[in-house]
Amino acid sequence: MTTAAEAMVTQLESYGVEYVFGTCGHTNIALLDAISRSSIRFVIARHEQAAAHAADGYARASGRTGVVLLHVGPGMTNAVTGVLTAALDSVPLVAIAGDIPSYYRGRHPHQEVNLHADADQTAIYRPFVKRAWQVHRAGDLARFTERAFWTAASGRPGAVLLSVPMDHFSRPVTASAHAYPLGVLEKPDLPAEAADRIADLLLAAERPLIYVGGGLRRGPGLDALRSLAEHLDIPVAHSLMAKGTLPDDHPLLLGMPGFWGLELTNRHTREADVVLACATRFAETDASSWDRRYTWQFPPGKLIQIDIDAAEIGRNFPVEIGAVADIARATQAIDLAVRAKRPQPYRRTGLRETITAARRSLFADSRGRGASDNFPLRPERILADLRAILPDDAVLVTDVGWNKNGVAQCYELPAEGRFITPGGASTMGFGPAAAVGVQIAQPDRTVVALIGDGGMGAQLPALPMAVEQGAPVIFVVMNNRSHGTISDLQTANFGSGFGCDFTAPDGSAYSPDFAALGRSCGADGYPVASAADLGDALRAAVAARRPAVIDVPMVNEPVPTPGHWNIKDIYQGVFE
């Protein structure tokens, strides 16, 4: 006899699933038992949010669909934030949740989600997953599993939920129940006539600009984008999620626009007459709260928006041309169309020199501010030491605050490096567990979880998870004893950081000893007591290839914000 759980595990193996992240519960142990006899490795996360973030990090680093296994009720609700983060950042993730026995629905058995609707835990996830399935027959599980993996990876990737009553895992199924192969995923091309129209607009533009989002990764599509920009001498801006798409030292790269963008970048975005937007949704912070005085001006600028998700085209700005297409294929088609119409490269007088000078000044000024030996350290000193000591192909996995916004703005990422951050949800606590997933996906690279003390405190289960998995993540805790970014914001607008700063009963600043905590979990722990200690700790941690926690006392200072964010207007009583 084959149970539905055993058939499902065979199906997962056939889809190339190598890791499942999660926690146990009485509703999913039949599936865990089947996994124990398979080639799939189960990663115990100790908390469901940590499991979801780790599966998310694994998916971002590997390019595969992440899988997270959850328990009914509180187990599934614990994972909401992690699954939401993956969903909003277009990361393919399949969440498998055990549910109450199918024959007890509505009787309010142990841990059932109920009160105003019986046994409807899928409703909790429906606002943000691409699809939520409730399995009603064991014989349907294989078909729904295939649909879940297809839906997570197709179109705009995202998260899905498969909710399975626990008795269905143990029910017998026929041998054919797992015979649902996963089809080859073909993505839509940009039609030739659309590529020609876009090429004509770019060639006629006086001040064109390319704006690239997080949907374009290394490969032929990125090569084509770079070729197009260099052939027509078009400046390139990138969203927060797209840092590293082009190397930070590229002479046409302007960096981020919006709230954290340079004035040069925001001026180019305001003055562009044609903008080619590639796989980006024009998020609020990248668009200065969509206030045309600061970043984007459509019209008079003409917007060409290409995205795999039709719902994003024209959502925030009117389009001249909108196209639903795979961005990698689209950039190749546009590059070919442009070169057919203008074989010779075009140069714009002084453009590259102006951009290069501004970017060099940005990075040099940041390094200058980071040269201080004052202690506690300035945040830019921490970034400077990381940049000087980490291998060029290191992966930085950040949380929120200076570790995200400051890195995106002024950390000169090497061409071989990778920057992974929570974008859409801007989730505090993403970094620690996501870094473990990244390290599991890329075991030979140096992976650094660059996080605040708030983010580390929010996801302590990442430490024992890293130790158990032998994942040599370096947790660098930028410790200002505060939810620093929000404390700065509150202090600037309301006069104090009440409710944001961590204090002991006597009113003094408080923080756990994160280095000691790391050691207690079996990792290496490095307390930083002087400016020189950080470099020594980083070099030792990189060389040791063991999980390590570096606790870095840091002063609380805001990330420079040259752009605009509407929330500041609200605090000052100015409303739309």
Side-chain angles (χ1 to χ4, degrees), residues 330-491:
T331 53
Q332 293 174 77
I334 296 167
D335 184 45
L336 289 173
V338 164
R339 288 175 178 272
K341 294 171 182 288
R342 180 177 288 170
Q344 297 302 314
Y346 180 77
R347 291 292 175 266
R348 302 176 197 276
T349 304
L351 174 67
R352 297 187 182 208
E353 293 77 10
T354 300
I355 293 174
T356 298
R359 296 281 283 173
R360 283 179 178 169
S361 176
L362 168 71
F363 297 133
D365 289 349
S366 180
R367 285 193 298 271
R369 291 188 293 271
S372 170
D373 286 337
N374 290 345
F375 192 82
L377 299 180
R378 298 188 72 180
E380 283 163 303
R381 171 58 188 266
I382 300 173
L383 301 191
D385 281 10
L386 287 167
R387 181 64 179 82
I389 293 168
L390 292 181
D392 283 349
D393 68 344
V395 183
L396 283 182
V397 185
T398 77
D399 218 76
V400 294
W402 244 106
N403 47 85
K404 180 184 81 168
N405 308 325
V407 169
Q409 182 186 78
C410 60
Y411 186 94
E412 193 170 6
L413 189 71
E416 300 87 352
R418 180 84 188 268
F419 170 69
I420 293 177
T421 195
S426 197
T427 304
M428 187 180 70
F430 169 84
V436 178
V438 170
Q439 186 74 82
I440 289 172
Q442 299 188 329
D444 296 330
R445 293 178 78 167
T446 296
V447 177
V448 173
L450 185 61
I451 46 188
D453 51 315
M456 188 72 248
Q459 278 300 307
L460 296 177
L463 288 175
M465 179 166 55
V467 172
E468 284 184 331
Q469 298 303 316
V473 175
I474 303 172
F475 300 89
V476 177
V477 183
M478 302 172 75
N479 192 346
N480 55 15
R481 295 169 170 79
S482 175
H483 292 306
T485 297
I486 305 304
S487 179
D488 286 333
L489 192 63
Q490 186 182 21
T491 300

Side-chain angles (χ1 to χ4, degrees), residues 29-48:
I29 55 176
L31 186 61
L32 281 174
D33 177 67
I35 290 173
S36 73
R37 298 187 299 278
S38 75
S39 63
I40 297 171
R41 182 169 160 184
F42 183 66
V43 179
I44 300 174
R46 283 180 165 77
H47 190 276
E48 291 82 1

